[in-house]
Amino acid sequence: MPVTQIAAQSLPVPIPVPSSHEHLSHLRLLEAESIHILREVASEFERPVMLYSVGKDSSVMLRLAQKAFYPAPIPFPLLHVDTGFKFAEMLSFRDEMARSVGAELLVWRNESAIAAGTNPIALDTRRCCGLLKTQALLDALRHYKFDAAFGGARRDEEKSRAKERIYSFRDSAGQWDPKNQRPELWNLYNARVHPGESIRVFPLSNWTEMDVWQYIHEEKIPVVDLYFAKERPMYVRGEALLPIEQAFVAHRDEMPQMVRSRLRSLGCSPCTGAIRSDADSIPAIISELLSFRNSERANRAIDHDQEGSMEIKKREGYF
Amino acid sequence: MATLSSPSFSVIDYLAEERGKDLFRFSTAGSVDDGKSTLIGRLLYDTQSVYEDQVRAIEGKGTTVPGQIDFALLTDGLRAEREQGITIDVAYRFFSTARRKFIIADTPGHEQYTRNMATGASTADAAVVLIDASKGVLEQSLRHAYIASLLGVRHIVVAINKMDLIGYAEQQFRSIEHDFSLLLNRIAQDTGNPVDCVFVPVSALAGDNIVHRSSAMNWYAGQSLLEVLESLPPSRNSRLDPFRFPVQRVIRPSHTFRGFAGQIASGTVTVGDFITVLPSGKTAQVTRIVTFDGDLESARSPLSVTLVLDREIDISRGDLIVAAGSQATVARNLDAALVWMDLRPLQRNRRYLLKHTSQTVPAVITAVNHRTHVGTLQHEAATTLELNGIGEIALHLMRPIAVDLYRHNRNTGAFILVDPETNSTVAAGMIHAIHDSTAQGKPLHGSSGPLTAEERSARWGHRGGVLDLKAPEDLVDLIERDLLLHGFIAVRINADDPSPSSDHSLLDAVVQRVVDAGLIALIAHQPDSDEITAHSGSYTTALAADSPAQAIAAVHELLRRAEIAVNTQKAGLQ
């Protein structure tokens, strides 16, 4: 076969082609890939489930699931791992979304850890996450015998996530071995697991934070009000804004102040800082995003308690 | 791209501009010293794709001199990698420019990570191969180029790095360019896949010719690396390739609706099209193309849709729906190139599971035809392949499946092998030859059944395709006459005629029929400016207005690159 060497200066400049069908935007291409993944998993696994965290990524994933199986309903349930520290607005939004798309919603809480008063100040964030999120998730997957769980994680979020497969294999303890991942070529996914083993699936792997917001805008997907700026009571500590949702986060004699602010990513209220913002619409959020100098997880305490902490959590079974 | 700081920034304009962007994937490979991490870090940093907290997290760490950022730390994500100072696994990175969204599959370069390189290349539109200008061509660059070509990556961008270390000397650049071009020729011959290459002299450390053109190399008149990546065509299957639709799932919410869900692997489907279901060979007509956002009149690769047919035929997951006129081959015996990816070596006559599109069939490897030594491109006799080994094998499937050759279709020509005991993915395969065939099969003289694309191209001496010309009428006349003289069969369609071609869907349908018949649809437009162009497949080329001979030569080159001209002797080309 011949090799054509093109001098770089004479490279053709693509010109628009007459047919209106020719151009597919990056969002259409990402959507088509995600739908393919959702259908593969639903067809190849016995008991799939979609982890629904109520955040923007989950909202996009839920819409993609509606699209993948239309006109049939979504053929798997949604699972929300409730740590007891989720914002009240998240819980009401969650119930409303599940009702409106007609999906079955399962909620799982690590009741014994919650009853024992587990919180990120009494423990450190890593152990708190370990009990309320990771342990609860593993218990729920085991209880319902789910063999595949969709998550909304994206590769652009964090360094160890950049190396995650779309089908992320987990052993019978739910753990991830980053050095022993299956090669994943083309769009051919190896769905074979032994009994007790499972996979986590990330249909949004190739989306960026900006893609997610643009898709929410284009598709008019509802998101929780906490993403939009308004006057909210916050504990103000230097640059950091801490929601007052849980009383125990307050220092002695600390008084909340009203701050025009919003949340950039949704987690548990004690560990999710807000940002000062005037962005009260999706276009305003997108425009704000273009000006950001920090990544979206910069305000998540759990990612920063030690070098490589996301990888450690993932090895233990975190999403 | 308008920036926020510019007073004219409007988010509405920005979003409109975003809708015009496409997606382009490229792979990189390299190891500790060749500057790959620096190059990627530079691309991300200079396109403002890294956040300050990510930079802060690595500042003052790493091996570079104080005050400089060690970009490798930005990209090496796993603890084991940071501890060992090497990239082990494929990492995906994202950035965008005013024209495109990019996904980088960043892979390690050492031989022991061949499988990671193959993984990164499998979905890439282009591969960026790094060569250290101070060291010349090393085996590692050759390996990356070979694997990219084997996996069907057409565009190879050769970044000759560390030009600063050799005083930006043109002579050394030209000498590496010459040597590596010869090697790429041999690679393309070995893999059977065509290669288009571009050479760019860069210094990732100094930022020369990465994002911005450098003033340090005035002898280089070409584009920066990023400009090259912005202008290459994506190597997705085109909408004019034969229609292929692997069925993922039957959607049946009630007894009144039965649809077949899948992602279009190649080509276009339009309501009213006749399709054939393989391997059964049953035919039906498409009555609806269903999506959540409403029915479509027509849909193209790579959209995910649901098809409804006009009659009840037995279709299940794993079947391949194809255009009735251009069928895939139903086969059980194949030759394939294989990249072995498991610690346990290949065992002949052992049962593996072959996953192809949306189906899995048991298969055995009956023979290893040869093993390829990537460093020398020599073929060696072999009875097995070990981890990271590359070779060609003969394969027997327990039941027939519908396939295409990999060089014709990167979806329906690819497969993976899974070990049924360990469940590991043990190999990636690319179909090179099909040895048996059913009624829908290979071009056999006197065979019956519908004509195949291969039979047509064997008869016409070229493949079907579209040649889109924006040129004055007299130049189109000359080109049409020249094509006739050279044995091409072209059907001329003047796009500017008021009817019927003012109706785009009708024009598309006519063009599709012409292409399906294996002919060239020669679409002529009046140029709306001085720019005279020819477009085919994913290629566009400018035509010289003042030199018809040059314009005609450029059209021939275009037809060759778009793989319409397949048999150059028969078509009368040199």
Side-chain angles (χ1 to χ4, degrees):
Chain A
M1 281 286 168
V3 173
T4 314
Q5 187 179 337
I6 318 162
Q9 64 269 29
S10 68
L11 259 179
V13 178
I15 52 160
V17 182
S19 168
S20 55
H21 310 283
E22 190 61 40
H23 177 75
L24 291 173
S25 72
H26 65 282
L27 291 178
R28 285 289 150 256
L29 297 169
L30 290 169
E31 175 189 74
E33 176 184 87
S34 301
I35 290 175
H36 174 262
I37 295 162
L38 287 156
R39 288 169 170 173
E40 279 301 287
V41 173
S43 306
E44 292 210 310
F45 287 84
E46 297 276 319
R47 290 181 66 78
V49 66
M50 178 171 281
L51 269 291
Y52 179 69
S53 77
V54 198
K56 62 186 189 304
D57 306 295
S58 281
S59 299
V60 166
M61 193 163 60
L62 188 60
R63 170 62 58 87
L64 292 167
Q66 284 182 281
K67 291 195 176 197
F69 305 102
Y70 177 85
I74 297 172
F76 39 74
L78 310 181
L79 172 67
H80 182 232
V81 174
D82 182 6
T83 59
F85 292 130
K86 298 298 175 188
F87 294 85
E89 282 173 85
M90 290 171 70
L91 301 185
S92 53
F93 182 88
R94 172 195 74 190
D95 297 342
E96 171 56 25
M97 279 309 286
R99 197 194 53 73
S100 73
V101 306
E104 182 190 357
L105 174 70
L106 308 171
V107 176
W108 191 274
R109 291 156 60 98
N110 184 347
E111 295 292 1
S112 61
I114 292 171
T118 304
N119 78 52
I121 292 169
L123 299 175
D124 55 61
T125 54
R126 189 181 151 203
R127 281 193 291 164
C128 183
C129 265
L131 286 167
L132 297 183
K133 286 167 125 176
T134 308
Q135 193 56 48
L137 172 65
L138 294 177
D139 288 347
L141 296 180
R142 202 170 298 125
H143 175 82
Y144 291 106
K145 299 188 168 57
F146 291 126
D147 55 0
F150 294 105
R154 307 184 321 269
R155 286 170 173 158
D156 80 324
E157 277 179 72
E158 200 269 345
K159 280 196 287 189
S160 72
R161 291 227 202 262
K163 310 219 162 181
E164 182 67 274
R165 300 289 187 265
I166 289 174
Y167 276 30
S168 176
F169 178 80
R170 304 299 166 107
D171 65 17
S172 52
Q175 296 180 343
W176 183 58
D177 179 1
K179 278 194 270 185
N180 194 24
Q181 301 192 77
R182 291 174 175 176
E184 202 165 72
L185 294 100
W186 301 288
N187 59 357
L188 296 175
Y189 304 107
N190 178 352
R192 304 262 307 174
V193 291
H194 289 298
E197 297 169 345
S198 62
I199 58 156
R200 307 284 168 85
V201 187
F202 302 108
L204 305 185
S205 285
N206 288 325
W207 296 57
T208 64
E209 186 184 14
M210 182 58 95
D211 296 330
V212 165
W213 280 116
Q214 285 182 11
Y215 194 72
I216 288 170
H217 177 69
E218 301 279 331
E219 298 279 323
K220 303 183 173 57
I221 296 171
V223 291
V224 190
D225 201 46
L226 291 161
Y227 283 118
F228 300 109
K230 65 177 186 193
E231 297 287 327
R232 292 189 168 90
M234 294 281 161
Y235 297 120
V236 181
R237 296 181 191 161
E239 292 283 293
L241 302 178
L242 231 60
I244 60 154
E245 196 93 355
Q246 297 291 337
F248 65 80
V249 302
H251 292 166
R252 239 160 63 110
D253 302 329
E254 191 174 24
M255 293 299 290
Q257 301 170 27
M258 292 303 281
V259 184
R260 191 158 166 81
S261 57
R262 66 181 201 87
L263 295 182
R264 187 173 170 195
S265 81
L266 297 184
C268 294
S269 65
C271 293
T272 306
I275 53 169
R276 289 176 192 272
S277 170
D278 281 321
D280 54 1
S281 67
I282 308 275
I285 289 173
I286 290 170
S287 155
E288 188 184 77
L289 202 56
L290 288 168
S291 71
F292 273 149
R293 310 297 299 159
N294 283 323
S295 70
E296 68 189 298
R297 295 194 77 96
N299 63 338
R300 294 276 201 107
I302 53 167
D303 291 357
H304 307 293
D305 42 14
Q306 86 186 83
E307 170 85 350
S309 59
M310 173 69 89
E311 182 187 343
I312 294 167
K313 286 204 302 286
K314 279 161 61 74
R315 282 169 182 269
E316 291 166 351
Y318 184 75
F319 245 86
Chain B
M1 192 179 359
T3 58
L4 278 176
S5 50
S6 72
S8 60
F9 178 81
S10 141
V11 71
I12 301 306
D13 292 349
Y14 169 80
L15 290 169
E17 188 180 280
E18 289 287 292
R19 272 176 225 123
K21 287 186 187 177
D22 69 352
L23 195 61
F24 192 81
R25 299 176 198 239
F26 65 94
S27 68
T28 58
S31 61
V32 198
D33 295 326
D34 59 13
K36 181 202 61 163
S37 297
T38 314
L39 183 131
I40 291 176
R42 183 55 83 176
L43 270 178
L44 298 179
Y45 197 74
D46 286 2
T47 55
Q48 279 104 49
S49 313
V50 246
Y51 289 114
E52 279 176 0
D53 62 310
Q54 293 167 333
V55 174
R56 265 198 309 276
I58 59 162
E59 255 167 2
K61 299 176 185 170
T63 55
T64 50
V65 289
Q68 265 188 1
I69 297 164
D70 185 353
F71 286 116
L73 295 177
L74 211 52
T75 55
D76 287 344
L78 299 174
R79 281 163 72 91
E81 293 176 341
R82 285 196 296 275
E83 281 155 15
Q84 296 172 37
I86 52 165
T87 311
I88 291 172
D89 214 322
V90 189
Y92 295 89
R93 318 199 178 281
F94 306 82
F95 71 100
S96 72
T97 67
R99 294 184 56 178
R100 269 197 167 148
K101 296 249 174 179
F102 289 96
I103 301 179
I104 313 177
D106 176 17
T107 69
H110 193 269
E111 181 173 9
Q112 72 188 97
Y113 304 117
T114 294
R115 66 174 190 173
N116 306 82
M117 273 185 254
T119 300
S122 71
T123 50
D125 297 305
V128 175
V129 172
L130 272 164
I131 295 179
D132 183 333
S134 64
K135 292 183 183 154
V137 178
L138 300 181
E139 183 175 328
Q140 175 173 301
S141 309
L142 184 65
R143 179 178 308 105
H144 183 210
Y146 183 85
I147 291 166
S149 173
L150 188 70
L151 272 290
V153 178
R154 179 156 191 152
H155 300 284
I156 299 204
V157 184
V158 187
I160 302 186
N161 192 23
K162 305 197 185 177
M163 289 299 293
D164 53 323
L165 291 187
I166 58 160
Y168 300 104
E170 178 177 13
Q171 200 190 342
Q172 266 156 289
F173 171 79
R174 295 294 171 209
S175 140
I176 294 174
E177 179 182 43
H178 174 261
D179 294 350
F180 204 65
S181 299
L182 295 179
L183 287 168
L184 285 174
N185 244 319
R186 291 180 53 205
I187 287 173
Q189 271 161 18
D190 190 85
T191 64
N193 295 323
V195 167
D196 288 349
C197 60
V198 187
F199 289 82
V200 186
V202 304
S203 165
L205 198 65
D208 295 303
N209 286 335
I210 302 289
V211 171
H212 310 289
R213 295 190 198 189
S214 165
S215 56
M217 288 170 276
N218 288 327
W219 47 266
Y220 174 75
Q223 295 174 308
S224 71
L225 178 66
L226 184 65
E227 288 171 324
V228 170
L229 291 169
E230 282 189 310
S231 49
L232 288 174
S235 48
R236 280 191 289 279
N237 293 316
S238 134
R239 71 189 174 103
L240 293 169
D241 283 334
F243 176 62
R244 299 285 186 262
F245 184 79
V247 176
Q248 285 186 276
R249 191 179 176 85
V250 181
I251 297 207
R252 207 173 340 186
S254 69
H255 65 278
T256 56
F257 184 94
R258 185 160 173 264
F260 306 99
Q263 183 174 16
I264 302 172
S266 62
T268 305
V269 64
T270 304
V271 171
D273 279 358
F274 285 94
I275 56 88
T276 302
V277 182
L278 297 176
S280 75
K282 298 222 167 63
T283 295
Q285 204 173 1
V286 177
T287 55
R288 289 179 65 192
I289 302 169
V290 177
T291 77
F292 178 85
D293 304 296
D295 279 16
L296 303 176
E297 191 53 39
S298 148
R300 55 172 289 220
S301 161
L303 290 178
S304 287
V305 295
T306 296
L307 301 182
V308 178
L309 304 177
D310 68 333
R311 68 202 77 171
E312 283 273 328
I313 49 177
D314 185 28
I315 300 177
S316 52
R317 175 174 165 81
D319 285 347
L320 187 68
I321 295 180
V322 302
S326 62
Q327 300 194 1
T329 308
V330 178
R332 291 179 68 178
N333 294 294
L334 309 167
D335 279 352
L338 214 60
V339 180
W340 197 259
M341 302 180 149
D342 200 46
L343 276 171
R344 291 165 51 154
L346 174 158
Q347 280 180 273
R348 282 178 299 167
N349 300 319
R350 178 161 180 267
R351 182 173 166 274
Y352 293 105
L353 297 173
L354 177 142
K355 185 162 188 190
H356 171 261
T357 64
S358 52
Q359 67 192 326
T360 303
V361 294
V364 294
I365 295 164
T366 52
V368 177
N369 300 341
H370 64 253
R371 176 169 53 214
T372 305
H373 186 278
V374 176
T376 60
L377 297 177
Q378 297 297 315
H379 292 178
E380 303 159 348
T383 54
T384 184
L385 292 176
E386 291 174 343
L387 178 64
N388 298 315
I390 293 174
E392 194 186 82
I393 53 120
L395 200 63
H396 177 73
L397 313 183
M398 294 304 153
R399 60 184 166 79
I401 61 171
V403 299
D404 288 298
L405 298 181
Y406 188 72
R407 67 189 162 88
H408 293 161
N409 197 311
R410 261 174 115 182
N411 290 310
T412 53
F415 61 86
I416 56 170
L417 293 180
V418 175
D419 184 321
E421 283 169 33
T422 63
N423 289 338
S424 303
T425 303
V426 297
M430 291 131 284
I431 299 170
H432 274 183
I434 300 165
H435 284 303
D436 56 358
S437 56
T438 61
Q440 295 86 20
K442 292 185 79 177
L444 300 170
H445 284 293
S447 68
S448 58
L451 277 177
T452 65
E454 283 71 25
E455 285 173 300
R456 292 179 208 272
S457 74
R459 177 68 184 82
W460 308 137
H462 58 79
R463 289 213 188 87
V466 175
L467 176 61
D468 211 300
L469 294 175
K470 243 184 207 173
E473 204 175 339
D474 53 351
L475 181 59
V476 178
D477 288 343
L478 280 174
I479 291 171
E480 191 184 3
R481 177 170 295 281
D482 177 81
L483 291 177
L484 181 79
L485 286 173
H486 284 87
F488 288 95
I489 305 170
V491 177
R492 179 159 169 182
I493 299 160
N494 286 324
D496 302 314
D497 284 354
S499 139
S501 49
S502 56
D503 178 347
H504 271 307
S505 61
L506 187 56
L507 178 62
D508 278 0
V510 170
V511 167
Q512 187 65 53
R513 297 303 180 276
V514 170
V515 173
D516 285 349
L519 310 178
I520 295 173
L522 177 67
I523 305 176
H525 304 262
Q526 281 298 324
D528 39 26
S529 66
D530 290 345
E531 204 181 32
I532 299 175
T533 59
H535 177 93
S536 184
S538 45
Y539 297 93
T540 300
T541 190
L543 300 182
D546 48 356
S547 164
Q550 273 183 34
I552 286 168
V555 167
H556 280 292
E557 169 65 10
L558 186 69
L559 292 175
R560 199 170 62 72
R561 284 166 65 187
E563 293 189 63
I564 292 171
V566 280
N567 184 338
T568 52
Q569 265 103 39
K570 196 158 186 172
L573 297 174
Q574 60 278 40

